[in-house]
Amino acid sequence: MSTTESTSHYDNLEKMSTLELLNSINQEDRTVPDAVGACIPQIEAFIASAEKRMKQGGRLFYIGAGTSGRLGVVDASEIPPTFGADPDRVVGLIAGGDGAIRKAVEFAEDDEEQAWKDLTAQDIGEGDVLLGIAASGRTPYVIGGVRRAREKGILTACLTCNRGSVLAEAVASPIEVVVGPEFVTGSTRMKAGTAQKLVLNMISTALMVRLGHVRGNKMVDMQLSNHKLVDRGARMLMEALHITYEQASVLLEQYGSVRKAIDSQKNNA
């Protein structure tokens, strides 16, 4: 039996008080960062390979089903507003299509051919990077996708929560974050999902930093798509240029981005 399907360390959950449930879930969650930390060498190796391709114009694709697919879609969708990158720079695909983000599509994950069809529709090529996400490491949709991609010379990796899975064997760069049994047996939306979210944060953030979308510790390329972000951008300019909030707001409106506003003042200095 795979680790993600093994029996929970806890039993008789229905007899626990709410406080006991919460404390027990929290206790289990505390183990996740250590499991992720143990995989940093695997994550670093993948990022190094992905960075080379992305600096040459390659894109990063995520494929997954269920919770794994949704996490990939969420991470990809955050890249344009956070880092100002083009929407097709990081692409998340889920078994069953976008409708599966909100509602499960029966048996969508069991089609081993569909992921490659979905990737082909995105014109994936040799210069791109593919990360297959599956807690179990045995999802046909994901396995089929990475196998075909690897045959085509595309850099492949996976993010799974079991060791020695079929998925890990199918890719060039496996990332195996083994978090142990779930609090509710087999419910991989819990610890496994948390681990996947943490690793995806690490991958996309590190890549965007390496690709130049962060200056200092600031998101200088972020999209100014709401009042909160406009305010954040103005405060970034205040700190970087030692100017008033009013002056920063004028610059931000004039140039439309934190980076351009900072560069304009440095060029005029």
Side-chain angles (χ1 to χ4, degrees), residues 241 251 254-255 260-269:
L241 301 174
L251 281 175
Q254 180 180 355
Y255 290 97
K260 290 178 181 178
I262 292 174
D263 289 346
S264 71
Q265 298 306 293
K266 288 184 176 180
N267 292 335
N268 293 332

Side-chain angles (χ1 to χ4, degrees), residues 211-229:
L211 293 172
H213 290 290
V214 172
R215 186 175 291 178
N217 57 16
K218 302 296 193 299
M219 300 178 289
V220 293
D221 291 333
M222 68 179 182
Q223 294 177 353
L224 305 175
S225 55
N226 58 49
H227 292 305
K228 177 190 71 177
L229 297 179

Side-chain angles (χ1 to χ4, degrees), residues 8 25 42 46 112 126 150 159 176 189 231 233 258 264:
S8 172
I25 292 170
Q42 296 175 0
F46 168 63
E112 196 166 329
E126 284 189 17
R150 194 173 186 183
L159 174 53
E176 299 168 303
R189 70 182 184 85
D231 177 71
V258 174
S264 71

Side-chain angles (χ1 to χ4, degrees), residues 63-70 93-118 133-134 138-145:
I63 56 171
T67 297
S68 297
R70 293 182 190 102
L93 301 174
I94 183 171
D98 287 352
I101 296 171
R102 290 185 176 272
K103 185 178 180 180
V105 177
E106 291 185 0
F107 303 108
E109 71 173 57
D110 296 327
D111 188 341
E112 196 166 329
E113 303 298 324
Q114 187 59 48
W116 183 245
K117 294 176 183 177
D118 294 342
I133 312 169
R138 65 187 188 199
T139 306
Y141 176 85
V142 179
I143 294 169

Side-chain angles (χ1 to χ4, degrees), residues 20-256:
E20 288 174 320
L21 287 169
L22 298 179
N23 281 329
S24 299
I25 292 170
N26 180 247
Q27 190 64 37
E28 284 297 296
D29 287 344
R30 289 169 182 266
T31 68
V32 175
D34 287 340
V36 171
C39 293
I40 286 179
Q42 296 175 0
I43 301 168
E44 180 191 25
F46 168 63
I47 291 172
S49 299
E51 179 187 347
K52 293 177 182 178
R53 297 201 178 198
M54 295 186 76
K55 281 186 173 178
Q56 296 174 351
R59 298 167 294 165
L60 171 60
F61 287 87
Y62 298 140
I63 56 171
T67 297
S68 297
R70 293 182 190 102
L71 288 168
V73 170
V74 167
D75 192 75
S77 68
E78 293 287 354
I79 301 305
T82 305
F83 299 107
D86 291 336
D88 65 350
R89 200 75 164 108
V90 181
V91 179
L93 301 174
I94 183 171
D98 287 352
I101 296 171
R102 290 185 176 272
K103 185 178 180 180
V105 177
E106 291 185 0
F107 303 108
E109 71 173 57
D110 296 327
D111 188 341
E112 196 166 329
E113 303 298 324
Q114 187 59 48
W116 183 245
K117 294 176 183 177
D118 294 342
L119 291 164
T120 300
Q122 298 289 329
D123 294 322
I124 193 170
E126 284 189 17
D128 295 323
V129 181
L130 175 61
L131 176 67
I133 312 169
S136 67
R138 65 187 188 199
T139 306
Y141 176 85
V142 179
I143 294 169
V146 298
R147 279 178 173 164
R148 290 294 299 275
R150 194 173 186 183
E151 290 171 0
K152 300 292 184 179
I154 296 164
L155 175 64
T156 57
C158 73
L159 174 53
T160 182
C161 296
N162 285 313
R163 287 193 181 91
S165 66
V166 175
L167 177 59
E169 293 176 356
V171 302
S173 298
I175 301 170
E176 299 168 303
V177 187
V178 182
V179 295
E182 296 288 358
F183 178 71
V184 176
T185 299
S187 182
T188 53
R189 70 182 184 85
M190 301 187 76
K191 289 196 300 181
T194 300
Q196 290 172 330
K197 172 60 176 168
L198 291 175
V199 174
L200 290 173
N201 282 348
M202 295 167 79
I203 290 171
S204 58
T205 301
L207 282 170
M208 290 300 112
V209 171
R210 300 294 297 168
L211 293 172
H213 290 290
V214 172
R215 186 175 291 178
N217 57 16
K218 302 296 193 299
M219 300 178 289
V220 293
D221 291 333
M222 68 179 182
Q223 294 177 353
L224 305 175
S225 55
N226 58 49
H227 292 305
K228 177 190 71 177
L229 297 179
V230 170
D231 177 71
R232 181 185 296 165
R235 296 184 185 281
M236 286 184 192
L237 291 178
M238 289 175 64
E239 181 179 333
L241 301 174
H242 307 291
I243 58 178
T244 67
Y245 186 88
E246 290 71 23
Q247 291 171 320
S249 297
V250 170
L251 281 175
L252 204 56
E253 184 173 358
Q254 180 180 355
Y255 290 97

